[in-house]
Amino acid sequence: MCSSDLDPMNRDAIEFRAVRLQRGAFSFEADGIRLPAGAITVLLGPNGGGKTTALRLAAGLLAPSAGSVVLAGSPVAAMDPATRARRIAYVPQRPEVGLPFRVHEVVELGRHALAPAPDRVDAALAAVGLAALADRPFHELSAGQQQRVSVARALAQHAPDGILLLDEAFSAVDPAECASLLTVLRARADAGATILLATHDLGLAAAAADHAWLIQGGGTAGVGAAAEWLAPDRLARFLGIPVG
């Protein structure tokens, strides 16, 4: 593992310090992993390798068995929910809405623990290209549209210099819309956001990543500059398949 390419001076980076999480037979470990502000870190690895676990630890939705995930010196898991909501927005792999909400109501949920901000809700819907569907029932949307609503909810919550965590958030999204969402993420990163994006899409990873974190079997196989860790020969060894 090599983390020297990540910015050591960034005090607001999320950092995994000697983290260990045991869940049944599965064990996840990460140490010295820093996710710098102003950059998109892409998280790659096989199914069941620990990507979602890493994201949920970073979001404070899981507490490690040992060690800590810290943000600006404070353990994320120990933050009260309102404090976490001000700093961290999380997009799950599968959007779930149990009540018959309309699209704009789902996005407004991103402000539930924060002050109401109708303008930010509208801007988030426009950013994901769904302003025209604001009054449509969420459950009538396609899977890709529902994913975009979930991203909009996180954008409405997300502070410009905050943390944005996305778990396979574009897996059902059309290529053109995916490119548009990447433009939104890049603008957020350029404004100082810390972004961690889990994906299986190597094209998306190559287009998005400033940094890469490779996870396999619950542990880190590599972390550092995207140009180094997403190089075809290195990815081919990691994935066990030819990579063009």
Side-chain angles (χ1 to χ4, degrees), residues 164-179:
L164 187 56
L165 310 171
L166 303 103
D167 190 358
E168 295 286 350
F170 306 152
S171 60
V173 176
D174 293 340
E177 294 297 343
C178 184

Side-chain angles (χ1 to χ4, degrees), residues 218-241:
T220 297
V223 62
E228 176 184 359
W229 288 99
L230 299 185
D233 58 341
R234 178 159 276 173
L235 273 182
R237 290 194 298 272
F238 173 64
L239 299 172
I241 58 172

Side-chain angles (χ1 to χ4, degrees), residues 43-103:
L43 184 58
L44 292 174
N47 289 330
K51 298 189 302 299
T52 295
T53 297
L55 286 160
R56 289 176 64 82
L57 283 164
L61 301 176
L62 290 175
S65 309
S68 60
V69 180
V70 299
L71 172 60
S74 300
V76 174
M79 294 178 179
D80 64 86
T83 298
R84 281 207 307 269
R86 285 192 293 270
R87 298 302 309 277
I88 302 171
Y90 172 61
V91 181
Q93 186 173 2
R94 299 179 183 86
E96 294 183 1
V97 176
L99 296 174
F101 289 135
R102 297 187 180 277
V103 166

Side-chain angles (χ1 to χ4, degrees), residues 88-97 102-111 121 124-125 127-130 138-139 141-158 164-173 181 184-185 188:
I88 302 171
Y90 172 61
V91 181
Q93 186 173 2
R94 299 179 183 86
E96 294 183 1
V97 176
R102 297 187 180 277
V103 166
H104 73 89
E105 293 172 322
V106 174
V107 178
E108 286 171 350
L109 290 174
R111 306 295 304 174
V121 171
L125 277 168
V128 303
L130 292 177
F138 177 81
H139 290 98
L141 302 184
S142 69
Q145 289 172 327
Q146 289 182 351
Q147 282 191 322
R148 287 156 60 194
V149 172
S150 187
V151 171
R153 178 173 57 190
L155 293 176
Q157 173 189 348
H158 180 249
L164 187 56
L165 310 171
L166 303 103
D167 190 358
E168 295 286 350
F170 306 152
S171 60
V173 176
L181 290 173
V184 174
L185 294 189
R188 293 281 174 137

Side-chain angles (χ1 to χ4, degrees), residues 191-218:
T194 302
I195 298 177
L196 181 60
L197 170 65
T199 182
H200 286 292
D201 186 331
L202 299 184
L204 172 63
D210 301 302
H211 299 91
W213 181 9
L214 277 56
I215 289 181
Q216 191 170 42

